[in-house]
């Protein structure tokens, strides 16, 4: 089973409610969720948040949830790796998970082509993990 985890906590220090900020009339989380779903790479697209407001929006756009993230994993110093591990452990189908993709909602340059390219590199190069980066215009 392949899953995508989209970390979108409330409480950004620099930009309040950044994951719900509108871009072309849609909140940032919409684009991450929509891209993951449209890629057809994932059996589950999971929102990881500590906010009921973000959770409700994410579910409206097609994401699933393992429940709200704990306070301990929702502060400014929380490591992304710890959030991903937490979501994997909370998943009811954790033993079936083969691949995990972490998609940041603030990466507005992400798209289906990049996700598919990353998965192809993962499989074709026998890597345990990959990181995708893009150049900004």
């Amino acid at each position: 089973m392949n899953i995508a985890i989209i970390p979108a906590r409330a409480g950004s220090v620099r930009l309040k409610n950044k994951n719900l900020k509108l871009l072309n009339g849609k909140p940032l989380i919409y684009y991450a969720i929509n891209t993951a779903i449209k890629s057809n790479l994932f059996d589950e697209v999971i929102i990881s948040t500590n906010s009921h407001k973000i959770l409700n929006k994410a579910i409206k756009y097609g994401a699933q949830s393992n429940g709200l993230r704990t306070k301990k994993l929702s502060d400014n110093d929380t490591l992304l790796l710890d959030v991903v591990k937490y979501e994997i452990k909370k998943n009811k189908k954790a033993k079936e998970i083969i691949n995990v993709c972490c998609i940041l909602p603030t990466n507005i340059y992400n798209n289906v082509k990049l996700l598919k390219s990353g998965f192809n590199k993962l499989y074709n190069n026998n890597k345990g993990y990959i990181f995708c980066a893009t150049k900004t215009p």
Side-chain angles (χ1 to χ4, degrees), residues 94-119:
K95 291 181 181 180
E96 298 173 34
I97 296 172
I98 298 168
N99 296 301
V100 177
C101 180
C102 182
I103 302 174
L104 302 179
T106 53
N107 178 0
I108 61 170
Y109 296 106
N110 195 10
N111 59 56
V112 170
K113 184 178 175 182
L114 284 173
L115 285 178
K116 289 186 175 187
S117 174
F119 257 78

Side-chain angles (χ1 to χ4, degrees), residues 50-64:
N50 60 328
S51 162
H52 286 287
K53 192 171 184 179
I54 293 172
L55 178 65
N56 291 336
K57 288 263 188 201
I59 289 171
K60 174 183 169 187
Y61 295 126
Q64 296 167 291

Side-chain angles (χ1 to χ4, degrees), residues 1-135:
M1 179 167 84
N2 297 325
I3 66 169
I5 297 173
I6 301 171
R9 75 175 177 91
S12 173
V13 174
R14 292 176 295 215
L15 185 58
K16 187 175 177 167
N17 296 317
K18 72 179 173 189
N19 293 304
L20 294 176
K21 292 290 183 197
L22 298 182
L23 178 67
N24 292 325
K26 303 275 188 191
L28 287 182
I29 59 167
Y30 164 82
Y31 296 99
I33 294 165
N34 190 49
T35 299
I37 291 170
K38 283 173 81 175
S39 75
N40 291 316
L41 293 169
F42 308 105
D43 301 295
E44 293 182 0
V45 175
I46 299 165
I47 190 75
S48 177
T49 187
N50 60 328
S51 162
H52 286 287
K53 192 171 184 179
I54 293 172
L55 178 65
N56 291 336
K57 288 263 188 201
I59 289 171
K60 174 183 169 187
Y61 295 126
Q64 296 167 291
S65 172
N66 294 319
L68 289 177
R69 196 188 313 170
T70 66
K71 194 171 190 172
K72 179 182 174 186
L73 289 172
S74 299
D75 64 25
N76 203 39
D77 297 321
T78 300
L79 298 176
L80 195 52
L81 181 60
D82 292 336
V83 172
V84 170
K85 287 180 185 178
Y86 172 81
E87 293 298 341
I88 291 169
K89 286 179 186 175
K90 283 199 70 177
N91 194 295
K92 292 176 182 157
K93 300 177 186 173
K95 291 181 181 180
E96 298 173 34
I97 296 172
I98 298 168
N99 296 301
V100 177
C101 180
C102 182
I103 302 174
L104 302 179
T106 53
N107 178 0
I108 61 170
Y109 296 106
N110 195 10
N111 59 56
V112 170
K113 184 178 175 182
L114 284 173
L115 285 178
K116 289 186 175 187
S117 174
F119 257 78
N120 285 335
K121 287 178 182 172
L122 180 71
Y123 286 117
N124 295 333
N125 296 318
N126 244 355
K127 304 294 181 195
Y129 58 90
I130 59 168
F131 294 91
C132 292
T134 59
K135 292 181 182 178

